[in-house]
Every structure is written in C-alpha cells, then in structure tokens.
Amino acid sequence: MISFSQVTKRYPGGHEALNTVNLTIEQGELVFLIGHSGAGKSTLLKLIAAIERPTSGVVSVNGQNVGRLSHRAVPYLRRNIGLVFQDHKLLFDRNVIENVLLPLDIAGTDRREALKRARAVIDKVGLLKREKANPVSLSGGEQQRLCIARALVSRPALLLADEPTGNLDAGYAADIMAMFRDFHQVGTTLVIATHDDRAISALGGRTLRLDHGKVAEVSA
Amino acid sequence: MIGWLRHQKHALTAALRRLRSQALTTLLTALAMGVAISLPSGLYLLLGNLSGLAGDLPAQPEISVFLDSSVSTAQKQAIAARLKQSDIAQVRFVPKDEALAALSTAQDLSDISAGLTENPLPDAWVVRPHATSREEMARVAADLGKMPGVAETHLDSQWAERLQAALAIGRTGVWLLAGLFAIALVAISGNAIRAQVLARRDEILVSRLIGATDRYIRRPFLYVGALQGLLGGLAAGGVLAIAGGILRAPVERLAGLYGSTFHLLPPAPLEIVAVLGLTGLFGWLGAWFSVSRTLRQVEATR
C-alpha cells in the first residue's frame, strides 16, 4: 500500500530528516514509528500525505507517485487518508459535530447521510453526549478522540497518527490505543508515530525505528 | 451535478453565516460601497431627469428667417427662389398675421397682443435644411442672412443642441465615474475578503489537510464578496432614495415656479437590477483577486 524507495528529504537550510529510506507497508498493517524527537517520524508521515515532497526518491501510496502529484490531485489523495495530529488541529469556532462534519462537507456528502455518519463515529469515540459542545470545553483526551473521529468519518483506508498520545496521561493514552486496535481489526492500515513504549507493547504490530533519518526494523 | 449544487448551497450558507457573524463589519463595508456606488448612479439619475426635460424641446433643427418690414416684392421672390435650392428640405412661410394669431392664443401672452395697435411681427420663413450638422446649419443660416430683405436668421435648435452636447459630456462623465468607482468597489471588497481569509487561516490550513480543493476553500469567500457587493448596491439604493426624498419637494417647487409639472423620475426596475448585478459582480471579482493572492500567502507561511 505504501512504499518508500531511496527516499531522502532535506529541508531548506540543510537539515536532512530522512536519508535514503526504503520501506514497504502492506494493506491492513499496524506500524509504529519510534525514535527520538527529530529522528524523522513526522517527516515520514508528511511525505505519505503529500504535505511535504521528497528531495529525491519515490514515495508511492496505492501505486500513485505521491511526490509527483499535481497540486490539484493532492486533495483527492488526502480524502483517502485520515490524519491525527498531536495538537489535534480542531476548529474552535464550531461545535463537536461540525468539526467532524468538515471532511464530509469537503467531499460533498449528502447532509443527512453526513450527519448519520458523524453521529456514528462520535458515538464510537464516546463523545455523543458532547456533540453540541465547543471543543475548547473538552479535556485533552476528549479533544484527541474528536480529532480521531474527524479522521475516521470519511472511512479512510489509511490512518496516519503523529504522536496521538503525546500530551495525554496514561489512562487516556490507553483509551486511544485501544481505539486504534479496533480500527486495525476492521482492516484499516495504521501508521502511528510515537515514543510511548507502553502503547506498543500493549498492541503488538510492527515497529520501525528511525534514527538520524535512517530506518531500521525492530523485531518484536 | 448534484454534488456541485450541494457545494454551492453549502458555500452560500457558509457565506451568509460569515456575513451575519460579523454584522457590524458587513454593514460598514456595505455602507462604504453604497456611498461609492451612489455617486455615479446618482449622477446617472440626474442626467436621465435632465434629458427627460430636454426631450420636450424641438428635436428637428430649424432656421427661422425673419424678413425686413420694408422688404420689396422682388426681394421676396428672390428669397423664395433661393429656398427652392437643393440644400433646403422643407420650408414653411409664416405671414406676420398668422404669427400674431399664434401669439394671441399662446397662454399668458394674449393680454400683450390685445394691447397692440399694429402688428410688430415680421413675415418669416421656417426653413429645414437637408443636412442638419452644426456646420451646415450655420452655413445655410449665414447664406440666407446675407440676402437682401432678410432682417435676421435664427437657429432655433441652438440652445437645445448645446444642452444635448452638455448632457453627452455628462454621460461620458458618468461612465468614467462608474469605471473609477467599480475599481473602488473591487478594492473595498478585496480588502474585506483579505481580512476574512487571514482570520480564517486555521480553518483553511486544516481543510487543506483533510482534502479540501482550492475551489472548495475559495467558494464561500467568493459568495461573501458577491453578497457584500449586492448589499453595497442596496445601500446605494438607500442613499439615493433618501437623497431623492429630500430633493423631491424643492425640485417640484422650483419646477412649479416655471409653470412646469416636472417630477423627479425614479430609476427603472431594469436599471436597479443592472446596478445590483454589477455591484455583485464587482464584489465577486474583488474577492476572487484577493482570495487567490491571500491563499498563496497563507499557505506559504504554513
């Protein structure tokens, strides 16, 4: 589903985030990216979602060369990818359900169908009672669950999460990880960047370690 | 197609919500636009009223040729012969008795004519030349004026023609002003939209990350621009209606002093629709320029 071939990413200013990375992720896999901060975890995720483009090499998702996608084609790639951010990136000028509706509005989904799907996914992350609340009034864990709901509402085949439990205490983090395990079980491909070792040991799955822009497989 | 309509509807409701949520800004922008638009459209209305007034004047230019009271029969015949030449289209002889009779029937002047012991009016020819250009009229008038027995020639249409020329300048002025204020409208709209784009920076960046196209992001702003322009057009209508209300009584009083029943003419429905359409269009245009430029800035500072 995802393949990196000889991928190097150098940022303006010379910092080399990834150095000739080769890797393949199959459909339905659960993959953890670990490594110290600045090791290139976020960069790797950004390359998959075409938020950044590789300096050299080929990143391909579902057979598409993501690095060469035209500006106009990028949105359609992103609609098939759910993104979960450490800082949630919620919109505070609208309530919970409107945040979750945003991807469906963008995709042009019928309003009634959209509301049905949004409610279902909000229920799944346990926020149904808060659907009219402003995200500001949610706790950190609830905000992260809302972010996950937004990422999942368009039923993407691929979910990318960058430090999803980074700011959360252990209880919330375990909740979130349990949620990811459920999605993995229904066939979603997950790539999760984290430095939370507890989470990895709880879920199993494949682990890749990034170190100074190089990738190494970690055997379980 | 259904998806497209759904997107339009979604963008329109989003635009309406944005305008309502910033009611004061919306109002002030509409007012700025309204004042700008009311200048050329007010001048347009004024000219329309003036040409309505001038429309009652003789459209066909004529030359009046007044004869000397001591004109001889031979001179009269020479003049009549001259008037049969090819540059003259139509002539009408007005004997002095007929002129006096016409004067007597004219309102307010019967008293004067009744008091006259002898007819002071000359015999006259009313002449309509073939060519009605200003130069040709003047040439024919001068030519006739040089004939013996002719006391005076008079270009009847002269002042109407001058008024028409002045109105033509006025109309050109209206288009010039309209062009200038259309640019002002685009600038006002663009500026308002730029502020909105910057205020919605987070929303734009997040929408991008979850698959929004350029068009999806641009669309509500374009609707905001068009609606804002439309509101500006309505504000201009309000400004002009108030101005008209204030001016109506004094204008009608002035017209009454001249014995006229002249009324201020309101704009035609089609003219109102045209102005609203144009303000909407220019609001949209300003938004389009601004959004395209500002989006690039917003994305560059990601």
Side-chain angles (χ1 to χ4, degrees):
Chain A
M1 180 169 208
I2 301 168
S3 83
F4 279 55
S5 155
Q6 302 286 321
V7 173
T8 295
K9 174 64 186 177
R10 203 174 294 115
Y11 284 105
H15 172 65
E16 195 169 80
L18 293 178
N19 183 0
T20 52
V21 167
N22 291 295
L23 65 88
T24 309
I25 295 171
E26 298 299 334
Q27 181 138 15
E29 264 196 290
L30 168 61
V31 177
F32 287 102
L33 297 173
I34 59 169
H36 60 87
S37 65
K41 304 190 294 282
S42 296
T43 299
L44 200 148
L45 294 180
K46 283 178 179 169
L47 288 172
I48 297 173
I51 298 169
E52 296 287 353
R53 304 208 172 212
T55 311
S56 65
V58 174
V59 177
S60 97
V61 175
N62 282 331
Q64 272 186 311
N65 183 345
V66 171
R68 288 286 173 81
L69 274 187
S70 72
H71 181 75
R72 296 162 73 88
V74 168
Y76 300 97
L77 169 81
R78 297 220 180 118
R79 289 181 195 181
N80 294 319
I81 300 177
L83 292 170
V84 177
F85 311 95
Q86 182 174 6
D87 59 357
H88 320 318
K89 295 199 193 296
L90 300 172
L91 298 175
F92 297 115
D93 62 346
R94 58 197 75 193
N95 63 30
V96 164
I97 192 157
E98 283 166 345
N99 266 279
V100 177
L101 282 170
L102 186 60
L104 299 177
D105 282 343
I106 287 171
T109 312
D110 169 65
R111 190 72 184 177
R112 244 181 323 164
E113 167 74 8
L115 276 170
K116 214 165 64 186
R117 277 164 67 173
R119 288 237 167 74
V121 76
I122 290 172
D123 190 24
K124 199 184 289 178
V125 300
L127 289 174
L128 199 52
K129 281 190 189 132
R130 310 295 307 272
E131 73 170 28
K132 295 274 188 257
N134 188 291
V136 168
S137 67
L138 302 181
S139 70
E142 286 172 328
Q143 288 192 4
Q144 189 58 278
R145 297 209 303 252
L146 176 53
C147 179
I148 291 169
R150 187 182 63 191
L152 288 171
V153 73
S154 45
R155 298 175 186 157
L158 171 63
L159 189 80
L160 305 177
D162 192 3
E163 300 281 4
T165 58
N167 293 330
L168 305 180
D169 59 39
Y172 283 135
D175 268 6
I176 303 279
M177 283 303 172
M179 223 175 274
F180 283 147
R181 189 185 53 221
D182 292 346
F183 301 137
H184 172 52
Q185 277 165 1
V186 297
T188 309
T189 310
L190 286 105
V191 183
I192 302 169
T194 184
H195 57 258
D196 192 343
D197 296 340
R198 298 162 300 177
I200 300 165
S201 52
L203 261 69
R206 181 177 161 203
T207 306
L208 299 171
R209 178 181 295 281
L210 273 144
D211 191 13
H212 292 97
K214 293 277 189 190
V215 171
E217 202 88 28
V218 178
S219 46
Chain B
M1 183 65 191
I2 290 170
W4 184 83
L5 274 178
R6 194 175 290 143
H7 270 137
Q8 302 299 323
K9 185 174 156 241
H10 182 258
L12 183 61
T13 50
L16 284 170
R17 214 172 26 235
R18 288 178 196 184
L19 283 173
R20 207 176 40 211
S21 71
Q22 298 181 312
L24 187 67
T25 315
T26 303
L27 202 71
L28 288 176
T29 309
L31 214 59
M33 287 178 168
V35 170
I37 301 158
S38 67
L39 283 168
S41 31
L43 191 58
Y44 176 84
L45 278 179
L46 185 74
L47 286 174
N49 274 291
L50 279 180
S51 25
L53 205 57
D56 302 335
L57 300 166
Q60 286 283 355
E62 291 174 335
I63 302 169
S64 299
V65 180
F66 300 105
L67 303 185
D68 258 338
S69 50
S70 60
V71 66
S72 70
T73 315
Q75 284 170 336
K76 274 188 180 176
Q77 279 168 354
I79 293 167
R82 168 65 185 85
L83 292 176
K84 289 203 178 77
Q85 281 178 21
S86 63
D87 55 350
I88 308 297
Q90 207 182 341
V91 293
R92 181 161 52 90
F93 183 67
V94 184
K96 56 185 177 182
D97 300 336
E98 193 183 303
L100 184 64
L103 194 61
S104 307
T105 54
Q107 198 184 2
D108 298 341
L109 293 173
S110 49
D111 301 346
I112 302 169
S113 55
L116 295 170
T117 52
E118 81 182 65
N119 186 354
L121 299 174
D123 288 331
W125 289 91
V126 177
V127 178
R128 184 175 298 169
H130 266 300
T132 55
S133 71
R134 194 191 321 280
E135 296 77 15
E136 188 59 15
M137 293 283 294
R139 189 191 66 75
V140 173
D143 196 23
L144 293 172
K146 274 186 297 210
M147 295 198 72
V150 172
E152 198 184 343
T153 59
H154 194 258
L155 277 168
D156 287 341
S157 62
Q158 213 165 40
W159 80 268
E161 214 175 302
R162 285 181 190 146
L163 179 62
Q164 289 298 347
L167 286 177
I169 293 174
R171 277 187 210 107
T172 314
V174 165
W175 291 116
L176 271 175
L177 261 189
L180 282 175
F181 282 98
I183 294 171
L185 195 68
V186 169
I188 294 170
S189 167
N191 206 36
I193 295 297
R194 185 185 146 75
Q196 290 219 10
V197 172
L198 292 177
R200 296 188 166 268
R201 199 173 162 276
D202 290 345
E203 180 184 344
I204 291 168
L205 293 179
V206 169
S207 301
R208 271 262 185 266
L209 286 175
I210 54 187
T213 56
D214 283 355
R215 273 196 285 175
Y216 175 87
I217 291 174
R218 212 184 286 137
R219 207 177 282 127
F221 290 109
L222 298 183
Y223 271 104
V224 167
L227 288 171
Q228 184 78 76
L230 216 57
L231 286 174
L234 289 174
V239 168
L240 290 178
I242 292 169
I246 293 170
L247 283 175
R248 179 175 300 125
V251 165
E252 280 170 13
R253 209 168 73 85
L254 181 66
L257 291 176
Y258 279 98
S260 157
T261 55
F262 174 73
H263 292 290
L264 279 182
L265 296 170
L270 196 66
E271 290 169 334
I272 297 174
V273 170
V275 166
L276 290 181
L278 282 175
T279 54
L281 177 70
F282 283 111
W284 181 89
L285 208 64
W288 191 83
F289 280 128
S290 179
V291 163
S292 305
R293 254 190 70 77
T294 316
L295 272 186
R296 246 175 287 145
Q297 277 175 19
V298 163
E299 309 231 322
T301 58
R302 176 166 55 98

mmCIF file of all heavy atoms in Angstrom, chain B residues 11-33:
data_model
loop_
_atom_site.group_PDB
_atom_site.id
_atom_site.type_symbol
_atom_site.label_atom_id
_atom_site.label_comp_id
_atom_site.label_asym_id
_atom_site.label_seq_id
_atom_site.Cartn_x
_atom_site.Cartn_y
_atom_site.Cartn_z
ATOM 1 N N ALA B 11 -21.649 26.508 0.364
ATOM 2 C CA ALA B 11 -20.822 27.713 0.369
ATOM 3 C C ALA B 11 -21.677 28.951 0.610
ATOM 4 O O ALA B 11 -21.279 29.871 1.333
ATOM 5 C CB ALA B 11 -20.081 27.839 -0.961
ATOM 6 N N LEU B 12 -22.873 28.954 0.021
ATOM 7 C CA LEU B 12 -23.755 30.116 0.173
ATOM 8 C C LEU B 12 -24.185 30.266 1.633
ATOM 9 O O LEU B 12 -24.141 31.367 2.194
ATOM 10 C CB LEU B 12 -24.978 29.953 -0.735
ATOM 11 C CG LEU B 12 -25.970 31.113 -0.739
ATOM 12 C CD1 LEU B 12 -25.293 32.385 -1.211
ATOM 13 C CD2 LEU B 12 -27.154 30.809 -1.627
ATOM 14 N N THR B 13 -24.576 29.145 2.266
ATOM 15 C CA THR B 13 -24.987 29.251 3.671
ATOM 16 C C THR B 13 -23.798 29.642 4.537
ATOM 17 O O THR B 13 -23.933 30.446 5.461
ATOM 18 C CB THR B 13 -25.607 27.935 4.190
ATOM 19 O OG1 THR B 13 -24.729 26.874 3.848
ATOM 20 C CG2 THR B 13 -26.961 27.676 3.598
ATOM 21 N N ALA B 14 -22.623 29.095 4.208
ATOM 22 C CA ALA B 14 -21.426 29.470 4.973
ATOM 23 C C ALA B 14 -21.174 30.969 4.834
ATOM 24 O O ALA B 14 -20.849 31.653 5.813
ATOM 25 C CB ALA B 14 -20.223 28.682 4.491
ATOM 26 N N ALA B 15 -21.344 31.486 3.601
ATOM 27 C CA ALA B 15 -21.099 32.913 3.359
ATOM 28 C C ALA B 15 -22.086 33.767 4.142
ATOM 29 O O ALA B 15 -21.702 34.763 4.765
ATOM 30 C CB ALA B 15 -21.209 33.206 1.867
ATOM 31 N N LEU B 16 -23.359 33.354 4.117
ATOM 32 C CA LEU B 16 -24.372 34.115 4.850
ATOM 33 C C LEU B 16 -24.058 34.120 6.342
ATOM 34 O O LEU B 16 -24.185 35.137 7.016
ATOM 35 C CB LEU B 16 -25.759 33.509 4.604
ATOM 36 C CG LEU B 16 -26.352 33.826 3.237
ATOM 37 C CD1 LEU B 16 -27.604 33.004 2.988
ATOM 38 C CD2 LEU B 16 -26.673 35.309 3.117
ATOM 39 N N ARG B 17 -23.607 32.932 6.840
ATOM 40 C CA ARG B 17 -23.285 32.842 8.261
ATOM 41 C C ARG B 17 -22.125 33.781 8.599
ATOM 42 O O ARG B 17 -22.132 34.472 9.604
ATOM 43 C CB ARG B 17 -22.924 31.402 8.609
ATOM 44 C CG ARG B 17 -23.362 31.021 9.988
ATOM 45 C CD ARG B 17 -23.198 29.558 10.306
ATOM 46 N NE ARG B 17 -22.166 28.892 9.559
ATOM 47 C CZ ARG B 17 -22.385 27.786 8.834
ATOM 48 N NH1 ARG B 17 -23.575 27.267 8.765
ATOM 49 N NH2 ARG B 17 -21.388 27.219 8.186
ATOM 50 N N ARG B 18 -21.123 33.811 7.713
ATOM 51 C CA ARG B 18 -19.960 34.670 7.974
ATOM 52 C C ARG B 18 -20.361 36.138 7.987
ATOM 53 O O ARG B 18 -19.907 36.910 8.819
ATOM 54 C CB ARG B 18 -18.893 34.452 6.895
ATOM 55 C CG ARG B 18 -18.221 33.114 7.040
ATOM 56 C CD ARG B 18 -17.219 32.890 5.939
ATOM 57 N NE ARG B 18 -16.861 31.484 5.880
ATOM 58 C CZ ARG B 18 -15.947 30.993 5.076
ATOM 59 N NH1 ARG B 18 -15.293 31.783 4.248
ATOM 60 N NH2 ARG B 18 -15.673 29.714 5.079
ATOM 61 N N LEU B 19 -21.222 36.529 7.025
ATOM 62 C CA LEU B 19 -21.649 37.929 6.967
ATOM 63 C C LEU B 19 -22.429 38.302 8.217
ATOM 64 O O LEU B 19 -22.283 39.385 8.764
ATOM 65 C CB LEU B 19 -22.512 38.152 5.724
ATOM 66 C CG LEU B 19 -21.753 38.244 4.407
ATOM 67 C CD1 LEU B 19 -22.714 38.296 3.240
ATOM 68 C CD2 LEU B 19 -20.848 39.464 4.386
ATOM 69 N N ARG B 20 -23.277 37.347 8.680
ATOM 70 C CA ARG B 20 -24.102 37.642 9.835
ATOM 71 C C ARG B 20 -23.264 37.696 11.106
ATOM 72 O O ARG B 20 -23.509 38.509 11.987
ATOM 73 C CB ARG B 20 -25.210 36.608 9.960
ATOM 74 C CG ARG B 20 -26.442 37.156 10.664
ATOM 75 C CD ARG B 20 -27.553 36.143 10.693
ATOM 76 N NE ARG B 20 -27.025 34.818 10.948
ATOM 77 C CZ ARG B 20 -27.555 33.693 10.475
ATOM 78 N NH1 ARG B 20 -28.604 33.748 9.719
ATOM 79 N NH2 ARG B 20 -27.025 32.533 10.754
ATOM 80 N N SER B 21 -22.267 36.805 11.179
ATOM 81 C CA SER B 21 -21.476 36.748 12.406
ATOM 82 C C SER B 21 -20.631 38.014 12.574
ATOM 83 O O SER B 21 -20.190 38.333 13.656
ATOM 84 C CB SER B 21 -20.587 35.512 12.403
ATOM 85 O OG SER B 21 -19.562 35.670 11.458
ATOM 86 N N GLN B 22 -20.399 38.730 11.463
ATOM 87 C CA GLN B 22 -19.654 39.989 11.568
ATOM 88 C C GLN B 22 -20.546 41.111 11.062
ATOM 89 O O GLN B 22 -20.186 41.833 10.125
ATOM 90 C CB GLN B 22 -18.385 39.918 10.737
ATOM 91 C CG GLN B 22 -17.447 38.838 11.222
ATOM 92 C CD GLN B 22 -16.194 38.819 10.393
ATOM 93 O OE1 GLN B 22 -16.245 38.840 9.167
ATOM 94 N NE2 GLN B 22 -15.054 38.787 11.049
ATOM 95 N N ALA B 23 -21.703 41.237 11.714
ATOM 96 C CA ALA B 23 -22.734 42.130 11.188
ATOM 97 C C ALA B 23 -22.228 43.571 11.039
ATOM 98 O O ALA B 23 -22.484 44.225 10.038
ATOM 99 C CB ALA B 23 -23.960 42.099 12.092
ATOM 100 N N LEU B 24 -21.460 44.022 12.028
ATOM 101 C CA LEU B 24 -21.035 45.427 12.003
ATOM 102 C C LEU B 24 -20.078 45.681 10.839
ATOM 103 O O LEU B 24 -20.239 46.638 10.083
ATOM 104 C CB LEU B 24 -20.370 45.796 13.337
ATOM 105 C CG LEU B 24 -20.048 47.276 13.457
ATOM 106 C CD1 LEU B 24 -21.322 48.104 13.531
ATOM 107 C CD2 LEU B 24 -19.170 47.550 14.671
ATOM 108 N N THR B 25 -19.082 44.792 10.695
ATOM 109 C CA THR B 25 -18.134 44.914 9.582
ATOM 110 C C THR B 25 -18.878 44.868 8.252
ATOM 111 O O THR B 25 -18.618 45.666 7.343
ATOM 112 C CB THR B 25 -17.114 43.775 9.632
ATOM 113 O OG1 THR B 25 -16.661 43.633 10.968
ATOM 114 C CG2 THR B 25 -15.950 44.051 8.716
ATOM 115 N N THR B 26 -19.816 43.924 8.148
ATOM 116 C CA THR B 26 -20.605 43.786 6.921
ATOM 117 C C THR B 26 -21.325 45.089 6.609
ATOM 118 O O THR B 26 -21.302 45.581 5.483
ATOM 119 C CB THR B 26 -21.633 42.660 7.093
ATOM 120 O OG1 THR B 26 -20.950 41.460 7.431
ATOM 121 C CG2 THR B 26 -22.436 42.451 5.828
ATOM 122 N N LEU B 27 -21.925 45.661 7.666
ATOM 123 C CA LEU B 27 -22.700 46.884 7.495
ATOM 124 C C LEU B 27 -21.803 48.036 7.036
ATOM 125 O O LEU B 27 -22.131 48.778 6.109
ATOM 126 C CB LEU B 27 -23.365 47.233 8.827
ATOM 127 C CG LEU B 27 -24.579 48.127 8.736
ATOM 128 C CD1 LEU B 27 -25.739 47.355 8.139
ATOM 129 C CD2 LEU B 27 -24.932 48.663 10.104
ATOM 130 N N LEU B 28 -20.647 48.168 7.703
ATOM 131 C CA LEU B 28 -19.749 49.283 7.370
ATOM 132 C C LEU B 28 -19.216 49.133 5.950
ATOM 133 O O LEU B 28 -19.142 50.104 5.200
ATOM 134 C CB LEU B 28 -18.593 49.333 8.376
ATOM 135 C CG LEU B 28 -18.994 49.810 9.775
ATOM 136 C CD1 LEU B 28 -17.813 49.743 10.721
ATOM 137 C CD2 LEU B 28 -19.534 51.220 9.717
ATOM 138 N N THR B 29 -18.849 47.899 5.575
ATOM 139 C CA THR B 29 -18.355 47.680 4.222
ATOM 140 C C THR B 29 -19.451 48.006 3.210
ATOM 141 O O THR B 29 -19.203 48.663 2.192
ATOM 142 C CB THR B 29 -17.906 46.229 4.059
ATOM 143 O OG1 THR B 29 -17.018 45.900 5.122
ATOM 144 C CG2 THR B 29 -17.205 46.019 2.740
ATOM 145 N N ALA B 30 -20.682 47.553 3.508
ATOM 146 C CA ALA B 30 -21.792 47.829 2.598
ATOM 147 C C ALA B 30 -22.011 49.329 2.457
ATOM 148 O O ALA B 30 -22.269 49.840 1.373
ATOM 149 C CB ALA B 30 -23.064 47.152 3.099
ATOM 150 N N LEU B 31 -21.841 50.041 3.578
ATOM 151 C CA LEU B 31 -22.039 51.483 3.558
ATOM 152 C C LEU B 31 -20.964 52.168 2.710
ATOM 153 O O LEU B 31 -21.261 53.041 1.885
ATOM 154 C CB LEU B 31 -21.987 52.017 4.991
ATOM 155 C CG LEU B 31 -22.899 53.190 5.291
ATOM 156 C CD1 LEU B 31 -24.341 52.818 5.019
ATOM 157 C CD2 LEU B 31 -22.720 53.636 6.732
ATOM 158 N N ALA B 32 -19.709 51.744 2.889
ATOM 159 C CA ALA B 32 -18.616 52.306 2.096
ATOM 160 C C ALA B 32 -18.878 52.074 0.614
ATOM 161 O O ALA B 32 -18.744 52.976 -0.221
ATOM 162 C CB ALA B 32 -17.289 51.681 2.508
ATOM 163 N N MET B 33 -19.293 50.838 0.287
ATOM 164 C CA MET B 33 -19.598 50.522 -1.112
ATOM 165 C C MET B 33 -20.785 51.355 -1.589
ATOM 166 O O MET B 33 -20.778 51.887 -2.699
ATOM 167 C CB MET B 33 -19.952 49.044 -1.245
ATOM 168 C CG MET B 33 -18.762 48.120 -1.110
ATOM 169 S SD MET B 33 -19.327 46.414 -1.214
ATOM 170 C CE MET B 33 -17.746 45.589 -1.396
#
